Every structure is written in C-alpha cells, then in structure tokens.
Amino acid sequence: MPNQPKLSLCMIVKNEEKLLPGCLESAKDFVDEIIVVDTGSTDRTIEIARRYNAKIYIHPWQNDFSKHRNQSISYASGEWILYLDADEELVPPSGEIIRKAIKDNTIDSIAVQIINPFNNGRNQAVFNSIRVFKKHIRFEGIVHNKEVGCKNTKFHPIRILHHGYNLNEQKMTAKFDRTTSLLKKQIEEDPDNPMPHHYLSASYLSMGAYRNDYYGLAIHESTTAIRLASEQQDDDQIYLCTHYIAAASNLNLGNMAVAEAVCKDALGIFSDHLDSYYLLSKIYDQKGDFHLAKICSKRYVKIREQIEKNPARFGKIINNSFWGEGLVKIIQGKSEYELGDRGEARMIFEDLIKKEPGNREILRHIGEFYLRKGAVNESINYLNKAQEIKKDKLILYMLVECFGQIWDVDSQIRVLSDIIKAFPDEKENFKQIGKVQFERGNYRLASFCLAEVVKMGDRSPEIIDRLEKANSILGEQRQKKDKATNSLPSISACLMAKDEEDCIERCLKSIKPFVDEIILVDTGSTDKTVKIALRYGAKVYHHPWEGDFSKHRNQSISYAKKDWMLIIDADEALEPNSGKEMKKIAHKTSKNALFFKGVNCSSKGEIRSIFGSPRLFKNYVGCHYRGIVHNQPHFPGEPEPTSLKIFHYGYELSPEKMKLKRKRTIELLKKQVEINPNDPFPRFNMAISRFGEGDYHESAKEGKTVIQQIQTYNITDPGYGMIYYIVSMSYYYLDQLYHAEKTAMAGLEYYPENLDALFALTLIYDQKKNYSKTIEYGERFLDLHNKVDTSNMVENLEYKSFGNRWSVFLCMSVAYYKSNCRDMAKRYYEKACNEASKDTFTQKERVTFLTRIGQYDATVGHFRTALGQ
C-alpha cells in the first residue's frame, strides 16, 4: 500500500482454531503483516495462521496477558499496530476507516467501538477501547490489561465484534476460572488497586445467571473497587461500569433501594450514564412508579441514540445495557399505558416490533403485559405472533389463560393440543388444569386435560373418578341437545339468604310456578327464613357466612341439577309474564345466558331505578361469580337480550336495617380495595354506598378515584358511566356547581347515552338559573328515558335517575315559566304531580314549589287561572 503508513495486526493465541479464521478473514485485506504469538496451541491454530501468511512466534504461557501482547508488538515492523484477539472481528467498513485514520500525523492512538454480544447473542454491551496505536505503546496488567503511553487519542467509527462472552456455560465456567485466578493473584500482590477488584466483580456478575451467590460476591468486589477508587481519587471511567455491576447485582438480589442509590451515585459522576437509566427504568417499573419509569426509559432511549450518533463523546465508558433498548421501550410503553395514554403505548410497542422483527421475547413481554391488564384480544394478538416464530411453553400457556378469560374452550383445547405435541411431558400441568376446570364446571376442557393425563400413565382413582364424572355430564348434555323434542328446558332457582323472613316469601311465590327446583344456601338465619323456604319445597343447604357473596352464590350454583339456573335474591321477585316466557326463550336461544331488566322499586311498586343484569344461565358451562361483594357473573359468550323482568325491593328497608346493610357492604368493599387497590369496581360501589348514606364528601372522593382509574386503564364499560352521576350529584348537594357541571359533562363524553348525566345537568342548570340549558338537557333526558323505558334491552348498567323523572318535569316547569311559556310550565307541573307519589313529592313541597315561582294561591291551592291563559 504505497504512500501509507505500515499497519501490523498483532495477536496472541492458544487453541483458537474455531474463531481464528473469522478474525483473520475480517482484517487480512487491510493490514501489511500479521504477527501471531502462540502460547501453546495443540489444535490447528498455527496451521490456520500460516494459511494467512502470518509470522508466528512460539512463547510458553506465563499467566501474563500483557507480557505476551508486548511480545507480539515487539516483532511488528509496522509503524502502526492493530490489536485483535482471535475471538474478535472487524465489522465492515472498519478496515477502510483504519487505513484512512492512520494517515493523521497528529495522533498516536485511535479509539474504536467494541461490541460484546452475550447470552447467546440476545444481549450486547458496547464500549470504546484503544485498539489502533503507534508501535511505542505497550500493555500493563496480567489480565484485563490496558494500554499505556497514549497521549493523543482520536475516536473513529471503527467497530470490532467480540465473541468472547457469547459462550456456553461450560466454556464460560472455564474462562471464569482462568480469569478469576489471575485477578485474585493480582489482588494478593496489590490489594489496594481498585482495578482488579472491578474486573473480579465483573467476572462474578457474568456467572450470576448460573449461581445466585455470585451476585453477593460481585457486590462485595464492586463496592471495594468503588471505595478504593474514591479514596485514591481515581476517576477512570471504568468505575462507572463498577457502579453498574454493584447496582445490577443488588437488583438481582431484590435490594431495590440500594440499587437505586448506586445508580444515582453514578449519575452524579456522569449524568448521561446509559446503564444507570436502564436499571432505574427496571427499578421504577417493578416499584409501580410509572411516572419515574417513563422519565428514565425515555432518557435511556435518547442517550442510546447519542451513543450511536456520537460515540466519541462517551469515551471509554462501557455501556453494558446497550442491548436493552427493547426491554426499556417495553417499560416506556407500559408506563404510558399505566399513566393513561394507551394510544402512545401501542405506538411504542408497534415501532419496537418493526425495529426488531422476529424478536419473540419482545412479543412475549408485550403479550404478557396486556394479559395482566385484562386486555385479552391485544394479548392474543402478540402472543400468537410470538409462538409463530417458535413454539414456547410459557407463551402457549399464556394463550390458554387468554382464551380462558373469554371462555373460548375450542381455542384452549387447540393450544393445549399444541403443547402436548411440542412438549409431551406435561402431566402435572395438565392434571392441575383438569382439576381446576372440573371444579369450575368446565367439563369439556376438564375431560380433555384429564384424558391426556391418563394417556401419560396416571390412572390414579382421583383422576379416573373426575374424568368419568366429566364425561358422564357431557354425555347427558349431548343427549339433551340431540333430542328432537319440543319439551322446554328445566330451571333451578338459586338463592342465598340470611334472616330474610320479611321478603323471601314474596320471592318464592313469584318463582314457584315457573321453576323445577329451588336451591337455598342459608348462611346462618335465626328467623323463619328456612321454615318459609321449606314450605315452598326449597332444598336448603347450610353454610356459615364467610364474608364472601360470590363464594356462597357459587355454592348455590353447585347444587343446581337442572338445565338452566335462575339467580335471584330473597329481596327480589320475578315478574309474572317473565316467569311464563323465560323457558320458551331459553329453549330457543343459542346463548349461555339471558339478560333481564331489573327494576328497583318501592313496596308500592314505584320505580326508583332500572338496571340490566344476566340472570338465567345454562348449567354446566362454567358459570360462576367473582367478587366478595357486588359480585359479577362470568360465563362463556354474551347474554341474549330479552324483555324479562325482575323486581328488586332491597332498598325498601327500615333506616336501621339500611344502616346495617350499608355498614356490612362498606366493610366488604374496603377488604376488596385492600386486596386489589387498582381495581375500580370496589371503589365504584364504595362511592355508591357513601352516596346512599348522604356522605357526599366521601362519595365524591371515592368517585374521583374511580374516574381516574377508568381513564388510566382506558375502561369503556358503560356500567361505569354511573360514577359520573354519583360524583356530579355529590358536588351538587355540596353546592359546588362548577365541579358538578364539569363532571356530568365528562360523563356524557364517557358514554353519550348516560341518562344519569343528563338528569344531573338538568338539575344543575335549574340551580344555576340557566333555563335554556335546563330545557335542552331536560328534553334530552326525557327522550332517552322514553327510549330506555320502551326497549327490551337494558345494558349491564343501572339508571339511578330513572324513577326521578318527575324532578326533571319540575325543572322544566320552572324553566318554561321563566321563559314565559306558561302553558308548557303548567303541563310539566301537572306531569310531575301525576308521576310523583305524595310520599316523594308531598303537598308541602308542592306548595313550596309553586311559591318559588310566585304562582301559588292559598285559597285554590294550584296555579292561578292566569297561568293557563
């Protein structure tokens, strides 16, 4: 290469026949000579080196890397040295860059970027190191040696790929033993030198994946290195890596507070330390501090981009977490999701997948995250993509869990079949799944799993008994299904009760003509409840109250033997026409549940509110309840909309009983909140209970928390629309009309057909004397009220204000009167009087109302004649 400085490639080798060809092939076209010092190879290393015209010098190994490196340099004839190990390669176009760079007479050394893949290539560390230098420069240190004598170093975008840490466990252990013995020797000779302590801690950390106790040793050595470097005011950038080792080891042992403190110390040394932001992202993600996790993950991504664009700025800092962009971006996406920006989270995830196509681990992490958040469809999407790349047992079982949440038994069986094919020895897992599904009444899936367990050789009585019972029940179901008959299905009515003598007879009388058996789980009645139930032919089972409504509800279901199950409470009654029709509808439907319209009413039949609720369930399909209070049914598929009705009289109690009922409910809800503080449902019901007590400060407080949670988790269930009414009306009664209006408006944004929000706005604008708005929202309320009233289908929500239409009529009367529309004012007043009972809208209140608008005549007692003119 004329008119160019001469470049010598220098190496030391021993038994490197596997990796040496790749190293020499990457460099041969860019160097003028190859110098190899062999320290005792017994394989084909020397033969391979000769094929590349290397000059070979034999020196017995003397446990001193620097000595042998300096020997190789001493044989070089070049003005410049390129130093590589046999397990390294030049990454194109690094060779061309080196040839241009060594023409610079103002420098004596060149820093390059070293890329260290590890963990079978899944991870990599990146750092800068001097690998091209003038011949007068030498190495020091018997292991992890460093160059001395460099005065003018310049960075160039030269990259060297190092395979030395991408080894299997056996080779890693052999390398670890050799390295640590040399480092311990160095420490014996020079105990106050922080450098060998650093390298020893790095060796221990590298083996932590194989033996957990190595993390403790890594903490000891890294802490020693940091202390010694600080005492000696040694500001070598390598000790930032020591901080990473100390923090990562502590994090692996669960010492998050210590790990966090070490990272912050490192950032005090260098504010753009990539590894510290990587670890802090993980720490805050594990702690659930999503705000800080978002900040740190975004900072990591930005710094990593800077390392790629301008690596020289980061000197010799070792970036151990350079590989971790995927994990950090997942944390960033999770943080956005948890903080409420689900669209941004999805964009982050999708961009990451585009950047790393085919990365199964990224897809698995995203799928698992969505699964834990209950976003099942999103989870299935990502997990399916992951398992298409390669069958993975964990991913497949997560898919089974996903399909279980939406009761897709066909898909569960399909995925479990894939597991058996790919991983045939899964007896214990299949046994556990079979048992759990049998208890839940999912006999089809239980039968499949238990049959596979038997095929695997387990014929224990427990397994055989469950399998036979599951198959027997499935056989009965098939026979019933295959019968070409017009006979109507049978129904079990399932109740749970305690001291309900005041109301249970009304319930039993309403269902007795229409069901084939009545199941009552009594949880400790001391009154005539059981006696009354027995008089109606009920099968009574006694279970002590355990503070868990779902548990006792599921107990009642477990005793049901008929085709369908009607779930009803003692303070409810089946509407007669619904009793006549429900078997006909159940016979025709392909669904597993029927939706009822529930009516909250007084003992006199006055409607307070209405709600939607699935109440009739096909038996033996796994229907069960969850939640210790205000429990909810879980069953396969969606319910069939019907016109069937149930009347609920549960709020028509004496003040003393209502107080006790609310107290019990609130205590159970508090327990639910403690168990799962991120679940909005118990707080939702807590707010309703507080509102019912008239504790508007607490109902507003709890309700605001629920609104924050449903916004954070992007919950779109219309059933939660009522919380806006609870909070809005709480503010209304607290005379905070601004907040009341704002909350009600947000309720309409959440769910446009939010009848309760329209009701609240009508009252708010009446109070604010904004009569045009009163009329606008009153009319909207009345239109929607009519739509709901005439519809067969009520969604799975409660319309709290449904029975208070007369209040809207009064507001409309005032508004029209103030707008000089006296005919309309009179009409709406009369509507209010006709609809409201004298108990709810007393004569005294009617007088007060008319006095308010200046139209009460004490003699006549109603609108003056002039009002009707």
Side-chain angles (χ1 to χ4, degrees):
M1 299 181 185
N3 302 320
Q4 285 199 6
K6 190 173 182 180
L7 177 64
S8 300
L9 168 61
C10 295
M11 312 175 65
I12 62 172
V13 297
K14 182 179 180 179
N15 293 333
E16 299 285 4
E17 64 178 4
K18 290 185 178 180
L19 294 173
L20 185 59
C23 174
L24 296 177
E25 192 67 33
S26 73
K28 66 181 177 61
D29 295 331
F30 309 105
V31 298
D32 298 290
E33 65 177 354
I34 299 174
I35 306 295
V36 173
V37 167
D38 187 273
T39 59
S41 293
T42 56
D43 63 359
R44 295 173 54 250
T45 295
I46 293 176
E47 176 189 338
I48 292 167
R50 282 183 177 143
R51 286 210 310 262
Y52 286 87
N53 297 317
K55 298 175 183 177
I56 301 167
Y57 301 89
I58 310 298
H59 288 272
W61 175 245
Q62 297 182 35
N63 285 331
D64 189 332
F65 280 90
S66 287
K67 182 171 184 175
H68 295 302
R69 291 198 193 282
N70 292 333
Q71 285 170 344
S72 68
I73 294 171
S74 70
Y75 293 117
S77 61
E79 180 184 346
W80 284 84
I81 306 297
L82 164 64
Y83 216 98
L84 293 176
D85 287 331
D87 56 5
E88 296 178 332
E89 298 176 20
L90 283 177
V91 178
S94 297
E96 290 93 335
I97 297 171
I98 292 172
R99 294 305 310 191
K100 292 177 183 177
I102 60 178
K103 293 179 181 180
D104 188 347
N105 293 322
T106 65
I107 61 173
D108 61 7
S109 50
I110 298 170
V112 307
Q113 189 178 71
I114 309 294
I115 303 169
N116 268 348
F118 59 97
N119 194 12
N120 293 321
R122 289 194 294 270
N123 306 335
Q124 67 179 20
V126 174
F127 62 96
N128 299 334
S129 175
I130 294 174
R131 289 302 192 89
V132 184
F133 47 81
K134 290 285 185 70
K135 188 178 177 180
H136 67 272
I137 291 166
R138 291 292 184 269
F139 287 95
E140 286 184 357
I142 62 174
V143 65
H144 290 295
N145 36 76
K146 67 176 183 176
E147 64 288 332
V148 293
C150 300
K151 295 182 179 179
N152 297 299
T153 303
K154 185 175 182 180
F155 179 88
H156 280 276
I158 299 160
R159 294 189 297 156
I160 294 174
L161 186 62
H162 178 225
H163 300 286
Y165 295 100
N166 202 26
L167 307 174
N168 59 33
E169 182 179 353
Q170 183 180 358
K171 288 186 176 180
M172 277 295 293
T173 301
K175 183 171 184 174
F176 169 80
D177 291 339
R178 182 184 71 230
T179 302
T180 53
S181 64
L182 291 172
L183 289 167
K184 288 175 182 178
K185 180 181 177 183
Q186 270 190 287
I187 290 171
E188 285 178 14
E189 294 172 355
D190 188 5
D192 292 332
N193 183 352
M195 196 65 72
H197 288 285
H198 159 77
Y199 283 119
L200 185 56
S201 71
S203 294
Y204 285 136
L205 178 63
S206 70
M207 295 300 289
Y210 306 114
R211 264 179 50 188
N212 212 45
D213 59 320
Y214 280 126
Y215 290 129
L217 295 171
I219 291 170
H220 173 73
E221 292 298 333
S222 59
T223 304
T224 301
I226 291 169
R227 175 179 58 79
L228 290 172
S230 177
E231 290 172 354
Q232 298 166 24
Q233 297 184 343
D234 186 345
D235 59 357
D236 194 310
Q237 289 179 322
I238 200 166
Y239 298 118
L240 282 170
C241 179
T242 321
H243 280 75
Y244 166 78
I245 294 166
S249 300
N250 273 290
L251 183 56
N252 282 318
L253 292 178
N255 306 324
M256 284 198 288
V258 178
E260 181 181 0
V262 174
C263 289
K264 288 179 178 178
D265 285 344
L267 291 172
I269 298 168
F270 181 60
S271 61
D272 285 346
H273 187 220
L274 186 79
D275 292 344
S276 289
Y277 281 112
Y278 168 74
L279 293 175
L280 287 172
S281 297
K282 292 180 67 176
I283 290 166
Y284 294 130
D285 177 59
Q286 290 179 30
K287 289 171 69 174
D289 190 335
F290 302 114
H291 179 67
L292 287 178
K294 175 183 174 179
I295 291 172
C296 291
S297 58
K298 289 181 73 173
R299 189 75 187 126
Y300 169 94
V301 171
K302 186 174 182 180
I303 294 170
R304 191 181 185 280
E305 290 173 354
Q306 291 173 354
I307 293 172
E308 287 184 317
K309 292 176 182 177
N310 184 20
R313 175 176 172 265
F314 294 84
K316 292 185 179 181
I317 294 173
I318 299 172
N319 298 297
N320 294 279
S321 63
F322 193 81
W323 63 274
E325 182 183 27
L327 177 60
V328 173
K329 283 198 169 181
I330 288 173
I331 291 173
Q332 185 184 358
K334 287 166 61 178
S335 300
E336 294 285 4
Y337 187 99
E338 297 286 5
L339 293 170
D341 197 340
R342 300 191 173 187
E344 180 66 20
R346 189 177 295 108
M347 285 178 60
I348 291 170
F349 292 150
E350 290 299 323
D351 286 346
L352 179 57
I353 291 167
K354 288 177 185 176
K355 189 170 184 179
E356 298 192 40
N359 190 320
R360 187 186 62 185
E361 287 301 301
I362 285 174
L363 290 165
R364 179 183 69 79
H365 279 300
I366 297 172
E368 183 175 9
F369 170 70
Y370 276 124
L371 172 59
R372 301 306 165 216
K373 304 314 296 182
V376 178
N377 290 330
E378 289 90 340
S379 180
I380 291 171
N381 174 41
Y382 289 108
L383 293 175
N384 269 330
K385 290 178 181 177
Q387 65 92 21
E388 285 170 5
I389 297 169
K390 184 180 178 182
K391 297 290 183 189
D392 179 277
K393 191 191 302 184
L394 176 61
I395 292 170
L396 290 169
Y397 275 117
M398 283 195 286
L399 277 169
V400 172
E401 186 178 348
C402 284
F403 289 121
Q405 288 196 20
I406 57 175
W407 284 90
D408 186 345
V409 181
D410 289 336
S411 294
Q412 283 186 295
I413 290 174
R414 173 177 54 77
V415 177
L416 287 166
S417 299
D418 287 345
I419 292 174
I420 286 292
K421 291 176 186 174
F423 310 97
D425 191 18
E426 283 295 291
K427 182 169 69 177
E428 290 305 314
N429 282 330
F430 272 63
K431 184 189 294 186
Q432 186 62 25
I433 294 171
K435 288 179 180 179
V436 170
Q437 297 303 322
F438 183 88
E439 295 302 325
R440 289 185 177 178
N442 190 347
Y443 298 111
R444 185 160 165 246
L445 188 57
S447 173
F448 172 81
C449 291
L450 295 173
E452 292 296 333
V453 171
V454 171
K455 288 180 187 176
M456 295 176 204
D458 188 339
R459 300 190 61 83
S460 61
E462 177 191 30
I463 296 299
I464 296 298
D465 180 60
R466 280 194 170 96
L467 179 59
E468 288 177 350
K469 285 181 179 177
N471 287 336
S472 174
I473 292 169
L474 288 170
E476 290 175 9
Q477 292 175 4
R478 280 193 293 270
Q479 286 178 9
K480 290 176 181 178
K481 186 175 181 180
D482 294 340
K483 271 186 179 181
T485 176
N486 291 323
S487 61
L488 296 176
S490 56
I491 295 178
S492 301
C494 299
L495 298 85
M496 50 178 284
K498 181 179 180 181
D499 293 334
E500 300 284 5
E501 66 178 7
D502 292 339
C503 60
I504 194 169
E505 187 162 11
R506 177 177 54 200
C507 173
L508 297 173
K509 189 180 291 185
S510 76
I511 61 175
K512 177 68 175 174
F514 311 112
V515 300
D516 300 279
E517 70 172 354
I518 299 173
I519 306 294
L520 173 68
V521 166
D522 187 85
T523 59
S525 293
T526 57
D527 63 0
K528 297 178 183 177
T529 296
V530 172
K531 186 177 179 180
I532 295 169
L534 291 171
R535 200 165 70 235
Y536 281 84
K539 299 173 183 176
V540 180
Y541 302 89
H542 296 277
H543 290 272
W545 173 247
E546 296 184 48
D548 188 332
F549 280 91
S550 284
K551 183 169 187 176
H552 299 303
R553 183 83 71 196
N554 292 332
Q555 286 167 347
S556 71
I557 288 172
S558 71
Y559 294 116
K561 303 300 180 187
K562 303 305 178 183
D563 302 317
W564 288 75
M565 302 174 295
L566 173 67
I567 307 300
I568 193 166
D569 287 333
D571 59 2
E572 295 178 330
L574 184 64
E575 191 262 336
N577 286 331
S578 299
K580 295 174 184 176
E581 294 296 319
M582 65 181 178
K583 281 191 177 184
K584 297 177 185 177
I585 298 172
H587 180 61
K588 293 177 182 178
T589 187
S590 61
K591 304 287 188 179
N592 291 312
L594 300 185
F595 215 91
F596 279 58
K597 180 187 284 189
V599 182
N600 282 319
C601 52
S602 69
S603 56
K604 297 178 181 179
E606 297 159 347
I607 296 174
R608 304 294 194 208
S609 64
I610 63 170
F611 59 93
S613 176
R615 288 303 189 92
L616 192 66
F617 304 95
K618 193 176 287 185
N619 205 355
Y620 307 119
V621 296
C623 169
H624 64 287
Y625 279 77
R626 299 178 193 169
I628 62 176
V629 64
H630 290 292
N631 40 78
Q632 296 294 302
H634 291 259
F635 52 90
E638 296 296 323
E640 171 108 352
T642 74
S643 58
L644 302 175
K645 287 183 183 179
I646 282 180
F647 297 112
H648 176 234
Y649 303 95
Y651 298 104
E652 286 295 305
L653 302 176
S654 66
E656 294 78 16
K657 286 189 175 182
M658 276 304 299
K659 186 175 181 181
L660 286 173
K661 181 174 182 176
R662 286 199 178 101
K663 182 179 179 182
R664 180 194 64 190
T665 300
I666 287 171
E667 289 306 312
L668 291 173
L669 288 168
K670 285 179 179 177
K671 184 178 176 182
Q672 271 193 288
V673 170
E674 287 176 8
I675 293 170
N676 191 353
N678 293 324
D679 182 1
F681 192 65
R683 289 188 186 277
F684 170 77
N685 287 300
M686 181 81 79
I688 295 170
S689 294
R690 295 297 192 191
F691 187 79
E693 286 183 323
D695 189 346
Y696 301 124
H697 285 287
E698 280 300 310
S699 60
K701 178 182 173 184
E702 291 289 352
K704 281 174 64 180
T705 302
V706 174
I707 290 171
Q708 289 169 358
Q709 287 178 320
I710 63 178
Q711 289 173 345
T712 298
Y713 301 124
N714 197 26
I715 295 171
T716 57
D717 183 353
Y720 280 107
M722 193 213 298
I723 198 62
Y724 292 92
Y725 165 80
I726 295 296
V727 176
S728 178
M729 291 304 295
S730 296
Y731 283 134
Y732 176 84
Y733 291 127
L734 293 170
D735 201 28
Q736 298 180 29
L737 296 183
Y738 170 79
H739 294 298
E741 179 186 1
K742 184 177 179 182
T743 305
M745 284 297 186
L748 284 180
E749 289 179 15
Y750 179 78
Y751 179 52
E753 294 201 336
N754 192 332
L755 186 77
D756 295 333
L758 293 171
F759 175 83
L761 286 167
T762 305
L763 268 62
I764 291 163
Y765 288 124
D766 172 69
Q767 191 71 14
K768 294 177 75 173
K769 296 181 172 52
N770 187 336
Y771 298 118
S772 62
K773 289 285 188 182
T774 303
I775 293 171
E776 176 188 345
Y777 285 95
E779 293 289 1
R780 286 177 62 181
F781 170 88
L782 295 173
D783 289 344
L784 183 56
H785 187 284
N786 183 61
K787 178 181 176 182
V788 171
D789 190 33
T790 56
S791 172
N792 287 337
M793 174 64 179
V794 178
E795 293 196 60
N796 193 18
L797 52 83
E798 181 177 357
Y799 294 106
K800 275 286 188 185
S801 61
F802 189 85
N804 286 333
R805 183 168 62 165
W806 64 273
S807 296
V808 173
F809 287 148
L810 286 182
C811 291
M812 299 283 280
S813 176
V814 174
Y816 277 117
Y817 180 80
K818 296 296 184 179
S819 303
N820 294 316
C821 299
R822 298 193 174 185
D823 284 343
M824 294 294 288
K826 182 179 179 182
R827 187 183 307 168
Y828 277 107
Y829 172 73
E830 289 173 347
K831 283 176 179 284
C833 292
N834 290 335
E835 188 155 309
S837 69
K838 291 184 179 179
D839 293 332
T840 55
F841 187 32
T842 65
Q843 188 66 34
K844 182 178 179 181
E845 288 172 330
R846 296 176 196 217
V847 171
T848 302
F849 173 78
L850 289 174
T851 303
R852 175 188 171 192
I853 59 174
Q855 293 299 319
Y856 183 72
D857 185 312
T859 305
V860 180
H862 56 75
F863 279 90
R864 291 178 177 174
T865 305
L867 184 59
Q869 292 177 350

